[in-house]
Amino acid sequence: MSVPAKRLYALCGSLRTRSTNRALLEAIRRLAPHGVEVEISSLIGLLPIFNPDLEGDLTPEPVLAIAREIATADGLIVSAPEYAHGIPGGLKNALDWLVSRFEIPGKPVMLVHASHRGDFALETLIEVLKTIGTDLRPETFLRVPLLGKSEDEIAAILGAPQTEDAIRAALVRFADVIPVHPVSR
């Protein structure tokens, strides 16, 4: 019997088209080793502003959609820039929608960061992820400084052998700490 691939669902805190965090997640998806699949969420920008009155039977469809994706993922990858020393509003909004749901507690999480700075946001993000009960895996943290680089420079950095090796190694470390269990998909 073959082992199914581990499915990782990536949340990008930046909705910007040419986001360095998105570029890093695209490289991660491209470089995923055999047995690991990475899907990058396109749902964060579709979520309405969190309103506890809309939980339960009134939960909006985009929230249910992202919750389903997270439920079927073996692990999450989260990448976010720092906006005014904090987490981008769209990502925080998504996490707020998930805080009282069953899909995210215990889910293994790998943080990746596309900047040489942004530690305020990282600290806040770590606190939020701990508060909502994720299984944050600090040993898999990956930082690739791309902030302030041109598109050509970003492509060169992400295509450099040492960067590709670091990305693959981080993904292997993360896949290794994800428990093996059957997930119905």
Side-chain angles (χ1 to χ4, degrees):
M1 182 171 127
S2 67
V3 177
K6 290 187 179 173
R7 181 176 173 270
L8 306 179
Y9 192 63
L11 301 174
C12 185
S14 175
L15 299 180
R16 191 172 174 210
T17 305
R18 296 178 195 268
S19 160
T20 55
N21 286 277
R22 176 73 184 207
L24 178 55
L25 289 174
E26 292 287 352
I28 287 169
R29 179 171 55 187
R30 177 177 55 84
L31 296 168
H34 178 73
V36 175
E37 297 172 358
V38 177
E39 178 183 347
I40 302 170
S41 178
S42 61
L43 299 172
I44 289 178
L46 303 177
L47 301 177
I49 295 173
F50 176 67
N51 179 348
D53 289 340
L54 297 179
E55 291 182 297
D57 293 341
L58 299 175
T59 302
E61 178 52 37
V63 176
L64 295 174
I66 199 168
R68 281 191 300 268
E69 293 295 335
I70 289 170
T72 60
D74 297 302
L76 300 177
I77 301 172
V78 180
S79 184
E82 180 173 285
Y83 292 167
H85 284 188
I87 305 169
L91 177 60
K92 178 65 167 79
N93 184 54
L95 296 173
D96 287 344
W97 275 111
L98 296 165
V99 74
S100 63
R101 299 188 59 86
F102 71 90
E103 295 89 355
I104 203 158
K107 191 68 66 172
V109 174
M110 172 185 179
L111 289 180
V112 301
H113 196 62
S115 177
H116 58 286
R117 60 184 189 205
D119 290 338
F120 290 110
L122 285 172
E123 288 174 21
T124 304
L125 183 56
I126 288 167
E127 182 61 29
V128 170
L129 291 169
K130 285 180 180 178
T131 300
I132 63 177
T134 66
D135 180 11
L136 190 59
R137 297 307 199 132
E139 71 273 20
T140 65
F141 177 71
L142 174 68
R143 180 177 289 210
V144 180
L146 301 174
L147 184 66
K149 308 289 185 197
S150 71
E151 284 186 50
D152 289 341
E153 290 171 318
I154 291 169
I157 291 167
L158 291 174
Q162 66 271 24
T163 305
E164 289 185 346
D165 290 346
I167 289 171
R168 284 189 194 100
L171 282 170
V172 167
R173 281 193 310 276
F174 188 47
D176 285 348
V177 299
I178 295 173
V180 177
H181 55 11
V183 175
S184 59
R185 296 197 180 134

